[in-house]
């Protein structure tokens, strides 16, 4: 799901967010948390972290449940 521009990312994000509610069954999404460490120095890496964070927030809004797991310990963020 690579995107080269903000506009390209936005279209792909919107497509994902539109299809998620209509999918049957329980959907489990797994992703890396990129915003809890040292801020990256490179522009491209910072952009990746920012884009991933925006996508995580948008997906979490549309989910019934959100669980952050750190060191094997689950933290319920949304029930």
């Amino acid at each position: 799901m690579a995107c080269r521009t903000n506009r390209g990312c936005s279209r792909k994000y919107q497509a994902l967010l539109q299809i998620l509610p209509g999918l049957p069954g329980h959907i489990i999404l797994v992703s890396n948390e990129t915003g809890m460490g040292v801020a990256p120095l490179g522009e491209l890496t910072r952009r990746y972290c920012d884009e991933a964070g925006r996508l995580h927030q948008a997906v979490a809004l549309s989910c019934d449940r959100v669980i952050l797991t750190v060191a094997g310990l689950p933290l319920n963020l949304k029930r």
Side-chain angles (χ1 to χ4, degrees):
M1 194 164 154
C3 50
R4 304 270 185 251
T5 65
N6 286 341
R7 187 174 172 199
C9 287
S10 180
R11 281 195 313 261
K12 291 178 184 204
Y13 293 176
Q14 291 305 315
L16 174 65
L17 294 172
Q18 286 176 357
I19 198 170
L20 276 176
L23 294 174
H26 295 283
I27 308 299
I28 299 173
L29 301 172
V30 178
S31 181
N32 291 337
E33 174 53 58
T34 58
M36 294 182 76
V38 177
L41 296 176
E43 180 183 342
L44 183 59
T45 308
R46 275 194 314 272
R47 180 175 168 226
Y48 169 80
C49 291
D50 290 345
E51 293 292 335
R54 280 190 276 276
L55 180 59
H56 291 159
Q57 289 176 33
V59 168
L61 281 174
S62 69
C63 292
D64 295 328
R65 255 179 109 183
V66 178
I67 302 170
L68 173 66
T69 303
V70 178
L73 301 172
L75 175 62
N76 286 299
L77 300 179
K78 183 176 177 182
R79 288 183 194 218

